[in-house]
Amino acid sequence: MSRAIFNKTLRGGLILGLLAAVSACGTTYNVPTASDKNTQMAANMFAEERDPATAQAGRRLSTSAALRQFAQVVARVEPVAERFCKQETADRPDFNCDINIVVDEQMPVRNAYQTYTKDGRPVVAFTVPMIADARNPDELAFVMGHEMGHHLGQHMHKQKQQAMAGAIILGAVAAYGQASANASNPYRYRGNDQQVLQDSMTLGAGVGQMAYSQTYELESDVIGAAITKAAGYDPVKGARFFARPEGQKTQDGNLSFWGTHPPDAKRLATVLATVEGIEANGGITRKTN
Ligand SMILES: [Zn+2]
């Protein structure tokens, strides 16, 4: 084998291997396919939520009453979620199911998110404006379940791995392209190559995140629906929160909760299909491989 062909095969193998690593980072749970009936119903619900005249009604609570409502939801959802988590990760004894649900008192905008403490404890945080804005306890429960779903699905870790693998793949492709160009034209100007390589690494990180985020969002909806239902709340009523016609950005120019969770009818259709599946089969299902 000539050296050039060997190098080409080696690089091809590296890229294929990395692609396999990226596709291995899929979802843990089956995301059910919505039936035509689910899709139609979701489209109707979505349209209702987009129109203030038909949107789900809610009573605006005082901040203190809203915080009391939130505490009640936490008291019901937290034990159910932790039991669910332990049961689902029984084969992974190191998995941390001690999810800390906190109120983020600093962030001045409506938001809820999942993160980790420095020592790796999962945290689900709600801002005060978010808590005050929920129209009913089902919305709080569903958003809580959804954020816990990001931890159970290990989305942050997977997304980081994918971003890195994506950056390496594009970097390897760009390096290979440059090596080929240099081989075929020894006089080719090489001054920009490092910059091209750098640009493709940055693009790779963004592309890897974008491609996986909707898949992970829907997986979190599936897990969130299961937790919400097990805690005695209505996941469909709760999921309507995500369909509200809100701005994608906050006043300070950051992505809002609806910017990181773009409203669409597919989310509602997935929740409808998940609830049907739970009622028929008793729970959600993990992928077999
Ligand atoms: Zn999410």
Side-chain angles (χ1 to χ4, degrees), residues 47-277:
E48 278 169 23
E49 286 303 317
R50 307 305 279 180
D51 180 353
T54 52
Q56 185 159 262
R59 206 157 47 92
R60 183 83 198 178
L61 302 175
S62 67
T63 302
S64 59
L67 284 166
R68 274 201 302 279
Q69 172 172 265
F70 178 73
Q72 283 164 3
V73 174
V74 172
R76 270 172 74 177
V77 171
E78 192 174 25
V80 169
E82 293 190 359
R83 209 178 313 135
F84 177 82
C85 174
K86 280 186 190 140
Q87 185 185 310
E88 292 295 312
T89 59
D91 54 340
R92 286 174 281 170
D94 291 343
F95 199 96
N96 194 339
C97 287
D98 188 15
I99 305 167
N100 195 13
I101 305 167
V102 301
V103 178
D104 175 338
E105 291 175 341
Q106 307 299 317
M107 204 184 282
V109 295
R110 291 172 297 169
N111 205 359
Y113 55 91
Q114 192 262 312
T115 186
Y116 294 95
T117 58
K118 279 197 190 84
D119 53 358
R121 185 176 180 197
V123 176
V124 167
F126 278 69
T127 65
V128 176
M130 184 75 160
I131 291 168
D133 201 48
R135 297 171 296 187
N136 53 60
D138 305 271
E139 290 190 330
L140 288 171
F142 185 77
V143 173
M144 208 174 283
H146 172 92
E147 294 305 326
M148 288 168 160
H150 283 308
H151 169 56
L152 271 129
Q154 289 287 285
H155 295 162
M156 199 183 281
H157 301 302
K158 287 183 181 176
Q159 200 123 295
K160 271 184 196 157
Q161 281 173 6
Q162 283 148 14
M164 271 161 58
I168 295 167
I169 289 168
L170 284 187
V173 171
Y176 176 64
Q178 284 163 6
S180 306
N182 289 340
S184 57
N185 176 13
Y187 302 107
R188 183 174 170 272
Y189 173 66
R190 292 175 202 186
N192 278 331
D193 286 359
Q194 192 53 44
Q195 192 52 50
V196 171
L197 210 62
Q198 218 64 66
D199 290 348
S200 67
M201 301 274 275
T202 315
L203 177 70
V207 167
Q209 281 166 353
M210 292 309 291
Y212 279 89
S213 58
Q214 198 193 17
T215 311
Y216 286 167
E217 278 302 316
L218 291 177
E219 184 182 30
S220 271
D221 289 331
V222 170
I223 301 167
I227 292 173
T228 307
K229 197 164 163 43
Y233 292 101
D234 181 345
V236 177
K237 202 174 166 189
R240 282 177 177 254
F241 189 80
F242 287 81
R244 291 164 56 160
E246 304 281 352
Q248 306 275 299
K249 292 211 169 149
T250 61
Q251 273 188 335
D252 52 14
N254 293 320
L255 280 176
S256 73
F257 183 75
W258 293 268
T260 54
H261 294 85
D264 62 41
K266 196 175 176 186
R267 192 187 287 277
L268 285 169
T270 303
V271 173
L272 285 166
T274 303
V275 170
E276 261 179 29

